[in-house]
Amino acid sequence: MSGRATYKTFKGGIHPPYNKELASGKAVREAPLPPEVIIPLQQHIGAPNEPLVKPGDRVEVGQKIASSEAFVSAPVHASVAGTVKDITEITGFTGAKVKCVVVTPDAEQPEFRKQDRDITSLSDSEIRDIAREAGLVGMGGAAFPTHVKLAPPKDKPVDTVIINACECEPFLTCDHRLMLERPVDLVRGLKLLMRAVGAKKGLIGIEANKMDAVDAVRDAAAGDTDIAVEVLEVKYPEGAEKMLIYALTGRKVPPGKLPSEVGCLVQNVGTAVALYEAAAWGKPLYERVLTVTGPGIKEPGNLLARIGTPISALIEACGGFAGDPGKVIMGGPMTGWAQPDTNAPIVKGTSGVVVLTPEAVDVGTEEECVRCGKCVDVCPMFLLPNFIAQSVKKGQWDKAEMWGALDCFECGCCSFSCPAYIPHVDYVRKAKAEITALKRK
């Protein structure tokens, strides 16, 4: 025996340079207040919100400023006390135009008045209502409304709630810091999630490169026999929903189905803590912890930032650029969005801002496929990215769908591994758009 520890994991995946040491040791600190916050009215998957305020109105921190009657939606709250300057369309982090409420903050910001609620007696429906009113969404990036996830179909009972604490994206460390600094609140949030769906078991999956977080969360959950902290192999994309469920439970979510199909619910660290804050303190989701890091940042760190803060203000709060930036990314480098304009505001699902140097983004020019099969070997969904790319190049959308384009969740393992620099994810996204358009006809 080698004596080397083995951990739970899935088949496939990659081991990119993680670079987490840049920020993992930096405690969360509050980001400075920007001159104005630009709050998108839609920060979630689902129906858009309508504004509840108009230019010239005063708003208080935590005040609801946009909402919708649709079930699959999440209201938006003011992240500062101040005056509504404008309601206008701006270019968001995806490059699409989004309607936003622009607020000029007061010079002095009052502290949020925490309530002191007894959360031990909340019913399942009360927890769902709290999640909705607080505007909670998945804070790992997907931004799916939390109250919708907490209402699985009656014929798909959930017996296990999983906290995705892997944070497998390179560079990002905000979940790691939350586990170190607020492990008790994380466990309290998990218990609320379990009660909301009637689950008897809670699992917290943490990668083995965060053993200090494993210790902190295990201490916080000591005595809770229905909660277990599991250590997972350090591998990307260990935190992808279907990969995580398989690694922890051995259950396989069928293609096109949700985790409730196999009795599971997955939420990330930030969402669980936010649910605890909403339930215990009455605090809406108007700020979040995120990481600003990368070799192109002078002083990488973890910040508690108001929703609607421009990216440029956060970069400035971390000392500015270290030389000429090669690429600014909202989110992690594997699944994030390149930002040509750093005036875009952060949203509820923003887990980080990564700045790469020009050398780091020089990935080469696309060449012909060399048929090495590396993209197939690393695909965690067991798809054939090489065949999908070929089908897209030929405009054969039926074949692209046959090879699994719609089942791809765009983790980027194929593109990372390709020696011919083929942007497989770009081809998959094109295939999804074309196939979806054809199905609508």
Side-chain angles (χ1 to χ4, degrees), residues 34-118:
E36 62 182 23
V37 292
I38 307 162
I39 307 172
L41 298 190
Q42 183 165 10
Q43 304 179 38
H44 56 270
I45 292 174
N49 288 319
E50 293 298 325
L52 303 175
V53 293
K54 62 183 184 302
D57 284 356
R58 272 205 53 78
V59 293
E60 300 301 327
V61 62
Q63 177 183 330
K64 191 189 295 183
I65 58 172
S67 186
S68 167
E69 293 298 319
F71 178 61
V72 184
S73 185
V76 170
H77 302 77
S79 58
V80 295
T83 303
V84 176
K85 176 183 177 183
D86 199 2
I87 298 177
T88 186
E89 285 194 340
I90 61 105
T91 302
F93 72 94
T94 66
K97 292 285 187 182
V98 290
K99 186 180 286 186
C100 298
V101 175
V102 182
V103 182
T104 303
D106 294 342
E108 297 293 329
Q109 291 291 313
E111 285 193 16
F112 179 77
R113 291 185 180 177
K114 295 180 183 177
Q115 300 174 27
D116 186 17
R117 291 176 176 166
D118 175 14

Side-chain angles (χ1 to χ4, degrees), residues 37 47 141 200 273 359:
V37 292
K200 302 298 183 188
V273 173
E359 297 77 22

Side-chain angles (χ1 to χ4, degrees), residues 27-367:
V28 176
R29 61 183 172 89
E30 194 167 341
L33 205 62
E36 62 182 23
V37 292
I38 307 162
I39 307 172
L41 298 190
Q42 183 165 10
Q43 304 179 38
H44 56 270
I45 292 174
N49 288 319
E50 293 298 325
L52 303 175
V53 293
K54 62 183 184 302
D57 284 356
R58 272 205 53 78
V59 293
E60 300 301 327
V61 62
Q63 177 183 330
K64 191 189 295 183
I65 58 172
S67 186
S68 167
E69 293 298 319
F71 178 61
V72 184
S73 185
V76 170
H77 302 77
S79 58
V80 295
T83 303
V84 176
K85 176 183 177 183
D86 199 2
I87 298 177
T88 186
E89 285 194 340
I90 61 105
T91 302
F93 72 94
T94 66
K97 292 285 187 182
V98 290
K99 186 180 286 186
C100 298
V101 175
V102 182
V103 182
T104 303
D106 294 342
E108 297 293 329
Q109 291 291 313
E111 285 193 16
F112 179 77
R113 291 185 180 177
K114 295 180 183 177
Q115 300 174 27
D116 186 17
R117 291 176 176 166
D118 175 14
I119 62 172
T120 59
S121 60
L122 292 173
S123 68
D124 54 353
S125 62
E126 287 174 327
I127 295 170
R128 285 193 291 272
D129 289 346
I130 287 171
R132 193 194 194 293
E133 279 304 298
L136 300 193
V137 302
M139 295 171 69
F144 195 81
T146 301
H147 69 278
V148 180
K149 268 193 164 185
L150 296 181
K154 288 187 173 15
D155 61 339
K156 309 288 183 189
V158 170
D159 59 37
T160 304
V161 173
I162 296 172
I163 296 297
N164 177 5
C166 293
E167 201 166 50
C168 60
E169 271 268 3
F171 290 102
L172 302 184
T173 59
C174 54
D175 284 354
H176 187 176
R177 292 309 310 181
L178 272 176
M179 287 188 283
L180 289 177
E181 298 178 32
R182 300 186 61 187
V184 173
D185 293 344
L186 168 62
V187 172
R188 289 170 175 166
L190 171 56
K191 290 179 179 177
L192 288 168
L193 292 166
M194 293 167 63
R195 197 183 316 155
V197 296
K200 302 298 183 188
K201 189 174 185 180
L203 298 174
I204 303 174
I206 307 174
E207 285 191 337
N209 57 356
K210 307 175 192 67
M211 293 307 292
D212 51 355
V214 171
D215 293 339
V217 179
R218 278 182 172 161
D219 286 346
D224 290 307
T225 56
D226 51 353
I227 293 176
V229 179
E230 300 281 0
V231 184
L232 294 151
E233 182 179 329
V234 181
K235 185 165 66 171
Y236 179 85
E238 195 76 76
E241 219 168 44
K242 293 183 178 180
M243 280 72 257
L244 183 60
I245 291 171
Y246 175 76
L248 291 176
T249 70
R251 303 174 188 176
K252 295 182 180 178
V253 181
K257 300 295 183 182
L258 298 172
S260 60
E261 190 74 18
V262 295
C264 292
L265 169 75
V266 180
Q267 292 283 2
N268 88 328
V269 172
T271 310
V273 173
L275 178 60
Y276 167 72
E277 292 178 343
W281 303 346
K283 182 184 174 185
L285 180 53
Y286 64 80
E287 62 183 358
R288 66 157 296 153
V289 175
L290 51 77
T291 309
V292 181
T293 184
I297 287 288
K298 282 185 179 176
E299 301 168 9
N302 299 287
L303 304 178
L304 176 63
R306 311 286 180 119
I307 302 301
T309 301
I311 294 173
S312 56
L314 298 175
I315 292 172
E316 189 65 28
C318 289
F321 293 123
D324 293 330
K327 182 182 284 187
V328 178
I329 303 168
M330 184 180 279
M334 299 301 293
T335 60
W337 296 76
Q339 299 298 305
D341 182 356
T342 57
N343 289 318
I346 65 161
V347 295
K348 298 173 184 177
T350 303
S351 52
V353 175
V354 177
V355 180
L356 302 177
T357 59
E359 297 77 22
V361 297
D362 183 15
V363 296
T365 304
E366 181 179 354
E367 300 172 3

